[in-house]
Amino acid sequence: MFDFQPVRARNQGSTLVDQVVDVYAAAIQNRQLRPGMAVPSVREFARKYGVSTFTVASAYGRLVNQGWLTARPGAGYRVAPQGDAHAPSEPASWVPPRLNASWLLSDIFADHSIAIKSGGGWLPGEWLNEEGLHQALRHLGRVPALRIAGYGHPYGYAPLRDTVASGLGAHGLDVTLDQVVLTQGVTHGLDLVIRTLLRPGDTVLVEHPCYANLLPMLRLAGVRMVSVPRTADGLDCEALAQAAQTHRPRALFVNTVLQNPSGAVMSMSNAFRVLQLAEQQEFWVIEDDISRELVTTSAPMLAALDGARRVVYLGGFSKVISPSVRVGYIAAHRDLVRDIARTKMAVGLTSPEIMERVVHQVIREGRYRAHIARTRERLAQAHAVVAQHMDALGLTLWARPHAGLFLWARLPDSWACSANTLAEAALKDGIWLAPGSYFDPDEADIPWMRFNVAYSQAPQLWRFLEQVRQKKSA
């Protein structure tokens, strides 16, 4: 068919998914593969060339959406007819998606037509713990059906809750089983907390910049948002104190570690000051700590410092196991957890025990900690590469965490280009960038962008940005 030799060098610009897509596109253009010809299945290709099935499935999905391949149930993948209206020989047929909140919140997760997703919030498929997932799924296949046929416990699968409690204990947060409730990811957990603690008309404090998905949830809840500037050290505590005194907020929402989108880590002194203000002004602290496993240095956990009295702690597994494994958790005072469990049952009944069992098994198997260590290492390498490109182009970095998924970068004034305008132009080149307006409570077109370092090593991205720089400086 063709000779494919995957390149896994650390300084390799393209991912394995990119390499599979490129080799197929070249073979079809060169007529090595002709319309209607069958191509190897995902498993066949993975076995033959020594790559993961996640990599091949992602590449095949992209090839289908770009018009190179077709997929039919029971018939596998075949080379698409070149006269097809969606075939890549007619590039004008592809229309870039419109950059708006609707696409960000829904379509982006299904849109495989964008080749480079530097604005994404997840790890590449080939970075995920494939062997751990396969082993967990095989284990689940041996569980008698009657044991997993019911709704499950309202709080979630008890062995996983126990594992979560033990893990939090290692960070200094001592909680019992009845202080942990499982959710369908951290975003679902935030929704449950919002529904339980807040009422329309309440005021809450959010970070600026802020986790993008939190903002529409708060708008839907009818609450008023007041933003508090984020600094490289944590929250601007003078602004926090003033906002708390002026607006009497019900709650503060905060990312402690590797904040989304800035990548910054809160210092211990900042954490103590935030908790002190929360105690003085009597507001809840909702701590979204989804990236705790990816941090490489010691970092404060607000809930541990507070003893889970005023802090509601949220964590999950999408950043280290798989984004499709929608399992998260909330840890808090037992009375509040009981109320959250009631909310959970009222709006969606129990969370899927099957997925919770899968996560529990992945954590139990021996390679989980090694997988996290390897992911941290790969992210550190990606940070070094991406930061070097940014420095060369004159972008200003908010922080240099050397860990986690994100870098938050300011566009040079000399480019005279708004972040939204740049993102629109990038989409036409098959590049998704995340402009600052995604993370601004007022959706203002601020001159900042979030980059996912794991997806930002593609040469096409930096060629595009270099062309923008040259054009603006000409």
Side-chain angles (χ1 to χ4, degrees), residues 155 161 164-165 168 175-182 329-331 337:
Y155 280 47
R161 288 162 51 217
V164 167
L168 293 176
V175 292
T176 55
L177 206 61
D178 60 351
Q179 289 180 263
V180 178
V181 61
L182 301 183
Y329 55 88
I330 301 170
V337 166

Side-chain angles (χ1 to χ4, degrees), residues 1-338:
M1 183 176 68
F2 49 68
D3 181 34
F4 174 63
Q5 297 184 3
V7 179
R8 293 183 173 86
R10 292 180 179 178
N11 61 351
Q12 171 66 23
S14 60
T15 67
L16 289 174
V17 174
D18 293 331
Q19 294 174 45
V20 175
V21 170
D22 290 345
V23 76
Y24 263 109
I28 294 170
Q29 287 178 319
N30 296 334
R31 308 288 288 176
Q32 289 176 267
L33 294 174
R34 297 179 179 276
M37 288 180 62
V39 300
S41 69
V42 169
R43 290 191 177 279
E44 283 180 279
F45 191 101
R47 185 170 54 251
K48 181 175 181 179
Y49 295 108
V51 295
S52 78
T53 54
F54 282 109
T55 293
V56 184
S58 297
Y60 276 20
R62 191 183 299 175
L63 287 160
V64 169
N65 280 279
Q66 292 179 0
W68 296 113
L69 300 181
T70 61
R72 294 181 181 176
Y77 293 89
R78 293 181 178 273
V79 178
Q82 296 306 289
D84 191 299
H86 300 287
S89 57
E90 299 181 27
S93 65
W94 180 74
V95 177
R98 186 178 178 186
L99 188 79
N100 55 31
S102 174
W103 182 72
L104 171 67
L105 289 174
S106 56
D107 299 336
I108 181 58
F109 296 103
D111 192 339
H112 298 286
S113 67
I114 307 299
I116 301 170
K117 292 186 176 180
S118 298
W122 53 88
L123 287 172
E126 60 266 31
W127 286 38
L128 299 176
N129 187 4
E130 180 185 12
E131 181 54 36
L133 278 171
H134 283 172
Q135 184 183 79
L137 290 169
R138 288 194 295 269
H139 173 82
L140 188 63
R142 295 191 292 269
V143 175
L146 289 178
R147 290 175 58 185
I148 54 176
Y151 275 104
H153 194 281
Y155 280 47
Y157 184 52
L160 179 56
R161 288 162 51 217
D162 187 55
T163 298
V164 167
S166 297
L168 293 176
H171 291 288
L173 175 56
D174 293 323
V175 292
T176 55
L177 206 61
D178 60 351
Q179 289 180 263
V180 178
V181 61
L182 301 183
T183 65
Q184 296 182 55
V186 169
T187 301
H188 177 229
L190 287 168
D191 182 51
L192 294 178
V193 170
I194 291 168
R195 289 173 182 267
T196 303
L197 288 181
L198 304 178
R199 295 294 178 266
D202 284 347
T203 296
V204 298
L205 304 179
V206 297
E207 301 173 287
H208 187 277
C210 181
Y211 170 49
N213 286 51
L214 174 63
L215 301 174
M217 283 194 286
L218 292 172
R219 292 188 191 106
L220 284 171
V223 302
R224 176 171 174 256
M225 290 180 280
V226 175
S227 61
V228 177
R230 181 86 188 202
T231 71
D233 191 45
L235 285 168
D236 181 334
C237 286
E238 287 188 13
L240 175 61
Q242 184 174 351
Q245 291 170 2
T246 303
H247 301 286
R248 307 299 300 172
R250 176 74 170 155
L252 162 70
F253 290 80
V254 62
N255 272 164
T256 316
V257 171
L258 300 173
Q259 193 243 6
N260 183 356
S262 73
V265 178
M266 182 178 284
S267 70
M268 186 63 74
S269 60
N270 192 262
F272 276 119
R273 181 59 177 146
V274 168
L275 290 174
Q276 184 181 50
L277 288 168
E279 188 71 26
Q280 291 171 354
Q281 301 297 327
E282 298 183 336
F283 56 80
W284 290 96
V285 177
I286 316 304
E287 182 178 15
D288 175 355
D289 206 22
I290 183 65
S291 294
R292 171 72 54 174
E293 294 278 30
L294 299 178
V295 73
T296 55
T297 59
S298 61
M301 178 185 284
L302 296 175
L305 297 173
D306 169 74
R309 293 180 304 107
R310 190 171 293 278
V311 177
V312 182
Y313 184 87
L314 296 98
F317 304 96
S318 63
K319 292 291 187 283
V320 291
I321 295 181
S322 171
S324 65
V325 178
R326 307 303 303 156
V327 177
Y329 55 88
I330 301 170
H333 188 279
R334 59 176 51 83
D335 292 341
L336 178 58
V337 166
R338 182 183 62 245

Side-chain angles (χ1 to χ4, degrees), residues 417-436:
C417 177
S418 79
N420 281 354
T421 300
L422 183 63
E424 292 280 4
L427 274 179
K428 296 174 183 176
D429 276 18
I431 299 169
W432 174 37
L433 298 176

Side-chain angles (χ1 to χ4, degrees), residues 371-416:
H371 164 70
I372 291 175
R374 174 59 180 150
T375 302
R376 289 173 177 172
E377 180 184 348
R378 296 181 76 172
L379 285 170
Q381 294 163 2
H383 269 272
V385 171
V386 174
Q388 185 176 22
H389 281 298
M390 290 180 171
D391 290 340
L393 286 171
L395 279 74
T396 302
L397 287 175
W398 176 274
R400 296 176 186 264
H402 309 292
L405 293 179
F406 306 122
L407 281 173
W408 184 238
R410 181 185 174 94
L411 303 180
D413 292 338
S414 60
W415 287 16

